[in-house]
Amino acid sequence: MGGLTEANLKMLAGSRSFERGRGYLDAVFGVEVGDGWVTASVHGTERYEVELTTDGPGGLSGECDCPYGLEGNFCKHLVALGLTVLARPESLPRQRKAARDRAQDLDGWLSALSKDELLALLREQIGEDRQLRRRLELRAASARGDLAAVRARIRDLLDIGPFAQYGYVEYTDARAYADQARQAVSAIGALTGSGRAADAITLVREAMRLLAEAVESVDDSDGWLGQIGADLADAHLDACRAAHPDPGELARWLAGHALGDIDGGLTDIDPLDYEDVLDEEGMAVLRKLAVEAWQGNRRGWAEKYLMERLAKADCDVDALIAVHAADLSPNGHTHLVIARELDTARRPDEALRWAERGVREAQDLAAVDTALVDYLCDRYQADRLADAVALRRNHFRARRTLFAYQQLRAAAGAADCWPSERDGALALLRADARRRQQGWYGGPVLVDALLDDKDVDAAWQAAADSDAHDQQWLTLADQARVARPADALGVYQRLAEPLTKRTGNAVYEQLVSLLLSIRDCHRRLGSIEEFTGYVTALRTVQKRKRNLMRLMDKHDL
């Protein structure tokens, strides 16, 4: 088991899960070592089944049925199992050899049994294992062509009754229900494999409907039923490819499934996956039905999606544009989608016209899709710099944010007209500051813009004249500390004062950072003795905060 090392466990799990896994070593029970795998039960919030694959093609891997593990993560329970196995290195080779020997012995024993003995053994297992009995009953019904019996068994398998309390399957029972429902998929696949594909088509469609009804009453947080829905979709496609059903009938069913939201998207069937089964006749029917549905409801999501898929499959850009153009979003996003489709089709002039139309028709330039503005400005960069500046200017006037200011600066800089544009932009931001209009992070955007321009003196004055945010003052102090250490010192001390009345490691880190800046200001001012007195007094008052004291010691404060 060369892949099973402590280093690999830590790499796969990450430091946090690895350390947490160490705490579960006493919770690992029933370890079974096989040839290239190890299984066990780990008792956490619940009992979880864990399996490590040690010699797989991708190296060490693992599966656990805890919620974190079901998301595909290498969890703490897998770490606990791996560390448990590593703690017994002397027994691993012996256990692996014993596992191989057991498998060979079992195969040899079964091979030596007579038919009657095998039947007796199988009947014994059927009597003890309900799941095995159900699987074999389905196979028997399929083999004798008893469609009614197969349908009845599939209905039983998809019935939530045995797992539901008060009509609902709780999270703890969802996997057991999913395991039972998965047998229905296997039965349908067996029908197709035995030459009964036409019957499989009938049953898989019924199973889709039953599963869609069941999912409304199951806590499927881990997505088990979603996977079964995907498996049913695959089973339906396999059955259709084997049975070659009537293309027109199949097209009508696929259109109804796509447009009617029969199963809430649980099976996620794409009609274009059936193109080889539908042939030209079926595809023509599918297109006709899709167009009729779309013309009846041009804003319907399902109708638009099906039309888009068909148009893309046919490489029909004009049809695709017509679908998008029938439902244009007011923020210009749909215009951008159309422009990009036209670019892909190498029709750049039409793409530009659609993008410009999107900005022109936007109901609110402040809410326009910024990606559309970026697209147009990129197009203008080649030979229409003045248009790029005008668009950035209008966009900035509509939404006076730091980012819009930065975009205007970049465009005006490329057009060599930033000084005049800057004056106009700052005038708007000064008016906003006088009205106490704040930016996204608090405080006037004017201060942020001036800081971004590295105009520290103007930013300091703007902050003093308006209701600047503490974060803006901190940035100002950091940028001004070399040239204006006394002013910066006042800011740092003001920001530090409220932190001394709070607790918590995050607070202590902020306070120590400010103290380091305060010390730097005193050094620049030649008043380090004053800082020493300040810190001594602070330590006296804060001495009960041991984590703060340790952090201050670490930084020689």
Side-chain angles (χ1 to χ4, degrees), residues 518-531:
I518 291 171
R519 182 172 65 184
D520 184 58
C521 289
H522 277 294
R523 282 175 175 168
R524 294 179 186 278
L525 292 167
S527 54
I528 198 65
E529 297 83 3
E530 185 179 335
F531 174 73

Side-chain angles (χ1 to χ4, degrees), residues 290-347:
V291 170
E292 289 175 353
W294 175 68
Q295 289 176 340
N297 183 17
R298 292 176 185 265
R299 294 189 175 185
W301 183 89
E303 289 80 1
K304 287 195 298 183
Y305 179 73
L306 183 55
M307 282 294 294
E308 287 175 32
R309 295 286 293 118
L310 288 168
K312 287 183 177 180
D314 293 338
C315 299
D316 189 342
V317 177
D318 292 316
L320 185 59
I321 291 172
V323 174
H324 289 307
D327 186 23
L328 294 171
S329 59
N331 71 346
H333 174 73
T334 318
H335 300 76
L336 177 61
V337 171
I338 293 173
R340 285 172 172 164
E341 292 290 353
L342 287 166
D343 278 335
T344 302
R346 298 183 179 180
R347 293 158 62 174

Side-chain angles (χ1 to χ4, degrees), residues 451 454 456 459-460 470-485 487-493 495 510 512-518 520-521 524:
L451 281 169
K454 307 303 180 187
V456 178
W460 196 284
D470 283 348
Q471 184 59 47
Q472 291 176 317
W473 277 114
L474 179 60
T475 304
L476 269 169
D478 288 343
Q479 291 193 15
R481 191 162 67 206
V482 174
R484 306 171 64 164
D487 290 334
L489 176 60
V491 173
Y492 291 136
Q493 288 178 329
L495 296 178
Q510 294 177 48
V512 167
S513 176
L514 288 169
L515 291 174
L516 292 171
S517 297
I518 291 171
D520 184 58
C521 289
R524 294 179 186 278

